[in-house]
Amino acid sequence: TLVTEHHVGGVFVGGDDTTLLTSGELRSLREGEPLGLVVTVDEEGGRVQRVDALEGPVPSARDMAATMTPAEVEDLARERAEAMAALGVTQDAAPVLDVSSQPDGTVIGDRSWSDDPDVVTTYAGAYAEGLAAGGVTPVYKHFPGHGSASGDSHEGAVTTPPLDELRAHDLLPYADLLPDAPQGTAVMLGHLDVPGLTEDGTPTSLSPATV
């Protein structure tokens, strides 16, 4: 109803229930919506997967970087994107660009490719290219960098290192990847307090300076 009567621009399909993906409803909604409809899932691999019940699981970003070549990651992402596109998905909220050495089970942890910005750039770039080749638009996240934040921003306010430190470390993958990103690539803002960027308690997700 929201799509057909109010022409909302996008639908996010979260959680593990694949009913909406397998029903054909998303494809019919997209075909019938003259203004277009973005259909997003967050399919990263590892702990954050939405179509694993349909297509099988894939490793976490950290595991992929440790065991696969960039070309293999690109091929995996392309195959995954082709499967998602067939289900009506147009956008994947991945890859993660956070640079992090956090333990695996923490908020970023093994969702990060590496604590080395160059490795993150190489592997996240390969994943994004694969998604685009398979017909799904990538989303870089969590800008300007959640990898060194003080906690889990899903649960409350967290603070990152100052902006100058992020520019020298966490923001390097964005600087490297965005100029040549696949067409339509989006950037997801993190919900973060960044000294030198945010002020008055306004998080990056609501900050004009961050945008």
Side-chain angles (χ1 to χ4, degrees), residues 2-21:
L2 286 170
V3 172
T4 56
E5 294 186 8
H6 301 285
H7 306 296
V8 298
V11 175
F12 173 73
V13 185
D16 298 321
D17 188 343
T18 60
T19 303
L20 188 59
L21 296 172

PDB file of all heavy atoms in Angstrom, residues 2-21:
ATOM      1  N   LEU A   2       1.906   1.262   0.814  1.00  0.00           N
ATOM      2  CA  LEU A   2       2.789   2.430   0.857  1.00  0.00           C
ATOM      3  C   LEU A   2       3.446   2.680  -0.495  1.00  0.00           C
ATOM      4  O   LEU A   2       3.602   3.824  -0.922  1.00  0.00           O
ATOM      5  CB  LEU A   2       3.868   2.242   1.924  1.00  0.00           C
ATOM      6  CG  LEU A   2       3.420   2.391   3.379  1.00  0.00           C
ATOM      7  CD1 LEU A   2       4.524   1.952   4.327  1.00  0.00           C
ATOM      8  CD2 LEU A   2       3.032   3.838   3.665  1.00  0.00           C
ATOM      9  N   VAL A   3       3.805   1.601  -1.186  1.00  0.00           N
ATOM     10  CA  VAL A   3       4.458   1.748  -2.480  1.00  0.00           C
ATOM     11  C   VAL A   3       3.465   2.197  -3.541  1.00  0.00           C
ATOM     12  O   VAL A   3       3.702   3.163  -4.270  1.00  0.00           O
ATOM     13  CB  VAL A   3       5.129   0.429  -2.906  1.00  0.00           C
ATOM     14  CG1 VAL A   3       5.653   0.523  -4.340  1.00  0.00           C
ATOM     15  CG2 VAL A   3       6.258   0.075  -1.949  1.00  0.00           C
ATOM     16  N   THR A   4       2.326   1.505  -3.613  1.00  0.00           N
ATOM     17  CA  THR A   4       1.397   1.765  -4.709  1.00  0.00           C
ATOM     18  C   THR A   4       0.593   3.046  -4.531  1.00  0.00           C
ATOM     19  O   THR A   4       0.227   3.697  -5.511  1.00  0.00           O
ATOM     20  CB  THR A   4       0.430   0.579  -4.878  1.00  0.00           C
ATOM     21  OG1 THR A   4      -0.250   0.337  -3.642  1.00  0.00           O
ATOM     22  CG2 THR A   4       1.193  -0.677  -5.270  1.00  0.00           C
ATOM     23  N   GLU A   5       0.300   3.430  -3.290  1.00  0.00           N
ATOM     24  CA  GLU A   5      -0.518   4.622  -3.058  1.00  0.00           C
ATOM     25  C   GLU A   5       0.310   5.855  -2.725  1.00  0.00           C
ATOM     26  O   GLU A   5      -0.089   6.976  -3.052  1.00  0.00           O
ATOM     27  CB  GLU A   5      -1.523   4.358  -1.933  1.00  0.00           C
ATOM     28  CG  GLU A   5      -2.565   3.306  -2.294  1.00  0.00           C
ATOM     29  CD  GLU A   5      -3.635   3.161  -1.222  1.00  0.00           C
ATOM     30  OE1 GLU A   5      -3.649   3.976  -0.268  1.00  0.00           O
ATOM     31  OE2 GLU A   5      -4.449   2.219  -1.340  1.00  0.00           O
ATOM     32  N   HIS A   6       1.448   5.668  -2.058  1.00  0.00           N
ATOM     33  CA  HIS A   6       2.239   6.821  -1.622  1.00  0.00           C
ATOM     34  C   HIS A   6       3.604   6.899  -2.305  1.00  0.00           C
ATOM     35  O   HIS A   6       4.324   7.882  -2.113  1.00  0.00           O
ATOM     36  CB  HIS A   6       2.424   6.776  -0.101  1.00  0.00           C
ATOM     37  CG  HIS A   6       1.138   6.774   0.648  1.00  0.00           C
ATOM     38  ND1 HIS A   6       0.348   7.899   0.795  1.00  0.00           N
ATOM     39  CD2 HIS A   6       0.470   5.784   1.282  1.00  0.00           C
ATOM     40  CE1 HIS A   6      -0.730   7.603   1.497  1.00  0.00           C
ATOM     41  NE2 HIS A   6      -0.685   6.314   1.805  1.00  0.00           N
ATOM     42  N   HIS A   7       3.939   5.909  -3.113  1.00  0.00           N
ATOM     43  CA  HIS A   7       5.146   5.926  -3.939  1.00  0.00           C
ATOM     44  C   HIS A   7       6.409   6.156  -3.123  1.00  0.00           C
ATOM     45  O   HIS A   7       7.245   6.997  -3.464  1.00  0.00           O
ATOM     46  CB  HIS A   7       5.007   6.976  -5.044  1.00  0.00           C
ATOM     47  CG  HIS A   7       3.770   6.794  -5.873  1.00  0.00           C
ATOM     48  ND1 HIS A   7       3.558   5.674  -6.664  1.00  0.00           N
ATOM     49  CD2 HIS A   7       2.657   7.567  -5.996  1.00  0.00           C
ATOM     50  CE1 HIS A   7       2.382   5.785  -7.259  1.00  0.00           C
ATOM     51  NE2 HIS A   7       1.810   6.909  -6.871  1.00  0.00           N
ATOM     52  N   VAL A   8       6.553   5.415  -2.026  1.00  0.00           N
ATOM     53  CA  VAL A   8       7.802   5.479  -1.277  1.00  0.00           C
ATOM     54  C   VAL A   8       8.936   5.027  -2.187  1.00  0.00           C
ATOM     55  O   VAL A   8       8.739   4.250  -3.123  1.00  0.00           O
ATOM     56  CB  VAL A   8       7.776   4.601  -0.004  1.00  0.00           C
ATOM     57  CG1 VAL A   8       6.707   5.073   0.949  1.00  0.00           C
ATOM     58  CG2 VAL A   8       7.592   3.128  -0.353  1.00  0.00           C
ATOM     59  N   GLY A   9      10.128   5.529  -1.922  1.00  0.00           N
ATOM     60  CA  GLY A   9      11.239   5.283  -2.830  1.00  0.00           C
ATOM     61  C   GLY A   9      11.987   3.990  -2.584  1.00  0.00           C
ATOM     62  O   GLY A   9      12.716   3.524  -3.454  1.00  0.00           O
ATOM     63  N   GLY A  10      11.818   3.419  -1.376  1.00  0.00           N
ATOM     64  CA  GLY A  10      12.621   2.241  -1.085  1.00  0.00           C
ATOM     65  C   GLY A  10      12.016   1.348  -0.032  1.00  0.00           C
ATOM     66  O   GLY A  10      11.234   1.788   0.807  1.00  0.00           O
ATOM     67  N   VAL A  11      12.397   0.079  -0.075  1.00  0.00           N
ATOM     68  CA  VAL A  11      11.977  -0.931   0.889  1.00  0.00           C
ATOM     69  C   VAL A  11      13.231  -1.610   1.403  1.00  0.00           C
ATOM     70  O   VAL A  11      14.108  -1.989   0.614  1.00  0.00           O
ATOM     71  CB  VAL A  11      11.058  -1.989   0.237  1.00  0.00           C
ATOM     72  CG1 VAL A  11      10.729  -3.095   1.229  1.00  0.00           C
ATOM     73  CG2 VAL A  11       9.785  -1.344  -0.285  1.00  0.00           C
ATOM     74  N   PHE A  12      13.351  -1.761   2.725  1.00  0.00           N
ATOM     75  CA  PHE A  12      14.460  -2.505   3.326  1.00  0.00           C
ATOM     76  C   PHE A  12      13.938  -3.831   3.857  1.00  0.00           C
ATOM     77  O   PHE A  12      12.967  -3.852   4.627  1.00  0.00           O
ATOM     78  CB  PHE A  12      15.098  -1.705   4.459  1.00  0.00           C
ATOM     79  CG  PHE A  12      16.140  -2.475   5.218  1.00  0.00           C
ATOM     80  CD1 PHE A  12      17.376  -2.735   4.635  1.00  0.00           C
ATOM     81  CD2 PHE A  12      15.897  -2.958   6.486  1.00  0.00           C
ATOM     82  CE1 PHE A  12      18.342  -3.457   5.321  1.00  0.00           C
ATOM     83  CE2 PHE A  12      16.851  -3.677   7.185  1.00  0.00           C
ATOM     84  CZ  PHE A  12      18.083  -3.934   6.591  1.00  0.00           C
ATOM     85  N   VAL A  13      14.561  -4.919   3.442  1.00  0.00           N
ATOM     86  CA  VAL A  13      14.164  -6.246   3.886  1.00  0.00           C
ATOM     87  C   VAL A  13      15.225  -6.749   4.863  1.00  0.00           C
ATOM     88  O   VAL A  13      16.324  -7.129   4.464  1.00  0.00           O
ATOM     89  CB  VAL A  13      14.026  -7.224   2.698  1.00  0.00           C
ATOM     90  CG1 VAL A  13      13.502  -8.567   3.197  1.00  0.00           C
ATOM     91  CG2 VAL A  13      13.101  -6.650   1.630  1.00  0.00           C
ATOM     92  N   GLY A  14      14.922  -6.736   6.151  1.00  0.00           N
ATOM     93  CA  GLY A  14      15.865  -7.165   7.165  1.00  0.00           C
ATOM     94  C   GLY A  14      15.455  -8.493   7.773  1.00  0.00           C
ATOM     95  O   GLY A  14      14.430  -9.080   7.422  1.00  0.00           O
ATOM     96  N   GLY A  15      16.280  -8.970   8.701  1.00  0.00           N
ATOM     97  CA  GLY A  15      15.959 -10.220   9.378  1.00  0.00           C
ATOM     98  C   GLY A  15      16.175 -11.432   8.499  1.00  0.00           C
ATOM     99  O   GLY A  15      16.708 -11.352   7.395  1.00  0.00           O
ATOM    100  N   ASP A  16      15.732 -12.578   8.970  1.00  0.00           N
ATOM    101  CA  ASP A  16      15.991 -13.841   8.290  1.00  0.00           C
ATOM    102  C   ASP A  16      14.783 -14.416   7.552  1.00  0.00           C
ATOM    103  O   ASP A  16      14.886 -15.471   6.936  1.00  0.00           O
ATOM    104  CB  ASP A  16      16.487 -14.879   9.311  1.00  0.00           C
ATOM    105  CG  ASP A  16      17.803 -14.460   9.953  1.00  0.00           C
ATOM    106  OD1 ASP A  16      18.652 -13.914   9.244  1.00  0.00           O
ATOM    107  OD2 ASP A  16      17.970 -14.685  11.170  1.00  0.00           O
ATOM    108  N   ASP A  17      13.644 -13.740   7.622  1.00  0.00           N
ATOM    109  CA  ASP A  17      12.443 -14.227   6.947  1.00  0.00           C
ATOM    110  C   ASP A  17      12.546 -13.900   5.457  1.00  0.00           C
ATOM    111  O   ASP A  17      12.614 -12.729   5.073  1.00  0.00           O
ATOM    112  CB  ASP A  17      11.206 -13.567   7.555  1.00  0.00           C
ATOM    113  CG  ASP A  17       9.906 -14.157   7.032  1.00  0.00           C
ATOM    114  OD1 ASP A  17       9.930 -14.836   5.979  1.00  0.00           O
ATOM    115  OD2 ASP A  17       8.854 -13.924   7.653  1.00  0.00           O
ATOM    116  N   THR A  18      12.570 -14.908   4.618  1.00  0.00           N
ATOM    117  CA  THR A  18      12.738 -14.710   3.180  1.00  0.00           C
ATOM    118  C   THR A  18      11.415 -14.695   2.412  1.00  0.00           C
ATOM    119  O   THR A  18      11.425 -14.662   1.177  1.00  0.00           O
ATOM    120  CB  THR A  18      13.633 -15.820   2.607  1.00  0.00           C
ATOM    121  OG1 THR A  18      13.021 -17.090   2.857  1.00  0.00           O
ATOM    122  CG2 THR A  18      15.024 -15.788   3.236  1.00  0.00           C
ATOM    123  N   THR A  19      10.292 -14.686   3.132  1.00  0.00           N
ATOM    124  CA  THR A  19       8.995 -14.774   2.454  1.00  0.00           C
ATOM    125  C   THR A  19       8.811 -13.667   1.423  1.00  0.00           C
ATOM    126  O   THR A  19       8.372 -13.911   0.293  1.00  0.00           O
ATOM    127  CB  THR A  19       7.855 -14.711   3.487  1.00  0.00           C
ATOM    128  OG1 THR A  19       8.028 -15.752   4.442  1.00  0.00           O
ATOM    129  CG2 THR A  19       6.507 -14.864   2.800  1.00  0.00           C
ATOM    130  N   LEU A  20       9.148 -12.430   1.797  1.00  0.00           N
ATOM    131  CA  LEU A  20       8.955 -11.316   0.881  1.00  0.00           C
ATOM    132  C   LEU A  20       9.851 -11.458  -0.350  1.00  0.00           C
ATOM    133  O   LEU A  20       9.480 -11.060  -1.455  1.00  0.00           O
ATOM    134  CB  LEU A  20       9.242  -9.997   1.601  1.00  0.00           C
ATOM    135  CG  LEU A  20       8.899  -8.711   0.851  1.00  0.00           C
ATOM    136  CD1 LEU A  20       7.417  -8.671   0.490  1.00  0.00           C
ATOM    137  CD2 LEU A  20       9.276  -7.492   1.687  1.00  0.00           C
ATOM    138  N   LEU A  21      11.014 -12.051  -0.148  1.00  0.00           N
ATOM    139  CA  LEU A  21      11.928 -12.218  -1.269  1.00  0.00           C
ATOM    140  C   LEU A  21      11.477 -13.310  -2.226  1.00  0.00           C
ATOM    141  O   LEU A  21      11.692 -13.221  -3.439  1.00  0.00           O
ATOM    142  CB  LEU A  21      13.332 -12.552  -0.746  1.00  0.00           C
ATOM    143  CG  LEU A  21      14.027 -11.474   0.085  1.00  0.00           C
ATOM    144  CD1 LEU A  21      15.314 -12.013   0.691  1.00  0.00           C
ATOM    145  CD2 LEU A  21      14.317 -10.249  -0.764  1.00  0.00           C
TER     146      LEU A  21
END
